[in-house]
């Protein structure tokens, strides 16, 4: 008698669990619902997310879009087993790029890919995304969860974010009236934000420290917790300053490439930014990285934000007013330089950065 041949393979046996995906959707529905705002009040689960610009209060808007990830900071979240804040980073990296153009973030979508879907881990990640969206005032209107065995190791995952904002026509930044003598205001970062983590992980490797060891630069937290401090979201404070003062000429989000790559992106070609490095208050994490890795000041400033997550260009006569509004909104603001006629480089340094 012939033995019965087993057939009828299932998707689950191939490594994809549809039930786990459905469970995760149910877990995240209340998180998504909490991000509703004027213009977006639908449920997730459809084939696309809807947004009503008129309900959001715009009459003649220009849309601004941005997408980003969080780089190899993800590896620290995975290795340290801490997944509840990495979603804030994902939102921050996108919405901070919108607000520098004078746009109000309206809605956000995420892409989450993993080797094996763990609904609780997924819900923790999306919980962070939802928290970031609430901090930025934008709605989480959809996303994609992809379980891809064979492409990712089981515990590994990847994230990408997509944000859309709007500004009324004629109110986009930078303005066309940047002149010599305009002041540069630095807004303090919350730490490393989400750049340079391949170098960070290499330095941690050199140090021999484990993620659960006390952080050498922050005795109250483990190294993993301290390095996972989420990226600061500047949206609400900056929009308040834009709308209340009409004094902001340009904004630069200090991400990968640091000062020399990001500041010139928002300046006319005949001007440079002169930075007073002595004025920058460098948080201890940067000093520890520089010292432990033997990283030069120049390399630090083109890899990390060194304590300045956002730079504001403002007319000298309005610098105090703009700084006061930003401080009242919770930012730590420091005058760190001025606009000068173009020289050899887009950013010129005075003084020394205190690493």
């Amino acid at each position: 008698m012939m033995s019965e041949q087993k057939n009828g393979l299932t998707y689950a046996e191939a490594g994809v669990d549809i039930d786990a995906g459905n469970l995760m959707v149910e877990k995240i529905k209340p998180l998504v619902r909490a991000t509703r705002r004027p213009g977006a009040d639908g449920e997730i689960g459809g084939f696309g997310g809807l947004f009503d610009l008129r309900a959001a209060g715009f009459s003649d808007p220009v849309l601004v879009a941005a997408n980003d990830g969080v780089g190899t900071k993800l590896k620290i979240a995975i290795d340290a087993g801490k997944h509840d804040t990495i979603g804030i980073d994902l939102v921050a990296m996108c919405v901070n790029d919108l607000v520098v153009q004078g746009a109000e973030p309206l809605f956000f979508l995420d892409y989450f890919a993993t080797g094996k879907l763990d609904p609780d881990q997924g819900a923790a990640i999306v919980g962070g995304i939802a928290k970031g969206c609430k901090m930025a005032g934008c709605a989480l209107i959809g996303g994609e969860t992809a379980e891809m065995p064979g492409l990712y190791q089981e515990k590994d995952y990847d994230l990408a974010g997509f944000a859309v904002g709007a500004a009324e026509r004629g109110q986009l930044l930078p303005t066309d009236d940047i002149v010599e003598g305009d002041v540069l205001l630095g807004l303090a970062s919350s730490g490393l934000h989400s750049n340079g983590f391949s170098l960070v992980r290499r330095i941690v490797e050199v140090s021999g420290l484990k993620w659960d060891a006390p952080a050498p630069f922050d005795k109250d937290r483990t190294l993993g917790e301290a390095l996972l401090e989420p990226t600061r979201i500047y949206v609400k404070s900056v929009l308040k300053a834009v709308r209340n003062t009409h004094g902001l000429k340009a904004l630069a989000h200090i991400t990968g490439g640091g000062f020399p790559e990001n500041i010139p992106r928002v300046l006319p070609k005949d001007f440079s930014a002169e930075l007073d490095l002595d004025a920058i208050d460098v948080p201890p994490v940067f000093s520890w990285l520089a010292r432990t890795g033997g990283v030069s000041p120049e390399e630090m400033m083109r890899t990390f934000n060194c304590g300045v997550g956002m730079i504001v260009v403002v007319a000298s006569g309005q610098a105090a007013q703009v700084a006061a509004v930003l401080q009242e909104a919770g930012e730590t603001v420091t005058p760190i330089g001025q606009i000068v006629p173009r020289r050899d480089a887009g950013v010129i340094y005075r003084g020394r950065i205190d690493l």
Side-chain angles (χ1 to χ4, degrees):
M1 183 179 173
M2 289 180 61
S3 61
E4 284 188 19
Q5 183 180 359
K6 186 183 177 189
N7 56 20
L9 271 173
T10 65
Y11 210 6
E13 286 171 321
V16 178
D17 189 341
I18 293 172
D19 293 333
N22 291 335
L23 176 59
M24 180 177 150
V25 169
E26 290 308 311
K27 283 179 176 286
I28 67 175
K29 275 186 177 177
L31 303 173
V32 172
R33 209 171 288 131
T35 71
R36 287 177 171 173
R37 53 151 292 155
D41 58 5
E43 284 279 353
I44 59 165
F47 286 96
L50 304 179
F51 193 90
D52 184 342
L53 279 166
R54 189 171 293 169
F58 289 90
S59 56
D60 186 20
V62 175
L63 293 179
V64 184
N67 74 300
D68 212 337
V70 294
T72 58
K73 189 172 188 176
L74 281 175
K75 283 294 291 177
I76 299 179
I78 291 163
D79 292 345
K82 181 171 166 47
H83 309 286
D84 59 338
T85 59
I86 202 77
I88 299 174
D89 291 289
L90 185 67
V91 175
M93 295 303 287
C94 296
V95 297
N96 285 342
D97 278 355
L98 294 182
V99 79
V100 297
Q101 295 171 91
E104 175 189 341
L106 301 176
F107 60 86
F108 189 88
L109 299 100
D110 70 279
Y111 173 77
F112 167 49
T114 183
K116 184 167 178 57
L117 183 60
D118 174 342
D120 290 327
Q121 181 200 61
I125 293 164
V126 176
I129 293 171
K131 187 173 182 181
C133 284
K134 288 175 75 173
M135 292 162 76
C138 65
L140 178 57
I141 66 168
E144 166 70 356
T145 301
E147 190 173 21
M148 297 196 280
L151 191 59
Y152 296 94
Q153 297 294 326
E154 279 201 2
K155 67 174 185 170
D156 284 347
Y157 60 86
D158 197 9
L159 291 175
F162 309 84
V164 174
E168 293 291 358
R169 197 175 304 278
Q171 294 181 8
L172 292 168
L173 297 176
T175 60
D176 58 4
D177 61 344
I178 292 173
V179 296
E180 180 182 354
D182 284 346
V183 171
L184 302 175
L185 301 176
L187 308 189
S189 68
S190 56
L192 295 172
H193 287 184
S194 298
N195 303 104
F197 273 86
S198 294
L199 178 56
V200 170
R201 288 166 48 241
R202 185 73 184 271
I203 292 169
V204 170
E205 207 176 289
V206 167
S207 77
L209 292 171
K210 303 294 184 190
W211 299 120
D212 58 359
F217 51 88
D218 184 348
K219 298 299 184 192
D220 294 331
R221 294 192 285 182
T222 66
L223 182 60
E225 288 168 346
L227 292 176
L228 287 170
E229 176 67 36
T231 305
R232 185 164 181 79
I233 293 175
Y234 297 96
V235 168
K236 290 184 177 177
S237 56
V238 165
L239 285 178
K240 186 176 181 184
V242 167
R243 291 164 179 171
N244 290 8
T245 71
H246 303 286
L248 283 75
K249 295 188 176 187
L251 291 148
H253 183 202
I254 308 304
T255 55
F259 300 137
E261 299 295 330
N262 288 294
I263 302 172
R265 293 166 69 180
V266 298
L267 300 181
K269 289 185 169 38
D270 43 355
F271 290 107
S272 295
E274 185 180 73
L275 286 188
D276 176 11
L277 299 181
D278 292 320
I280 296 173
D281 185 15
V282 182
V285 60
F286 297 101
S287 304
W288 179 78
L289 288 168
R291 194 168 59 248
T292 308
V295 186
S296 71
E298 292 74 23
E299 185 67 15
M300 290 293 295
M301 289 187 290
R302 69 190 294 263
T303 305
F304 301 110
N305 66 61
C306 293
V308 180
M310 185 77 77
I311 288 178
V312 184
V313 181
V314 61
S316 58
Q318 284 187 279
Q321 179 198 10
V322 170
V325 172
L326 288 165
Q327 283 170 331
E328 188 183 317
E331 302 298 343
T332 301
V333 186
T334 308
I336 58 168
Q338 62 180 331
I339 299 297
V340 297
R342 178 75 186 198
R343 300 187 197 161
D344 293 339
V347 176
I348 298 145
Y349 300 126
R350 281 194 294 111
R352 289 180 69 247
I353 193 152
D354 184 15
L355 292 166

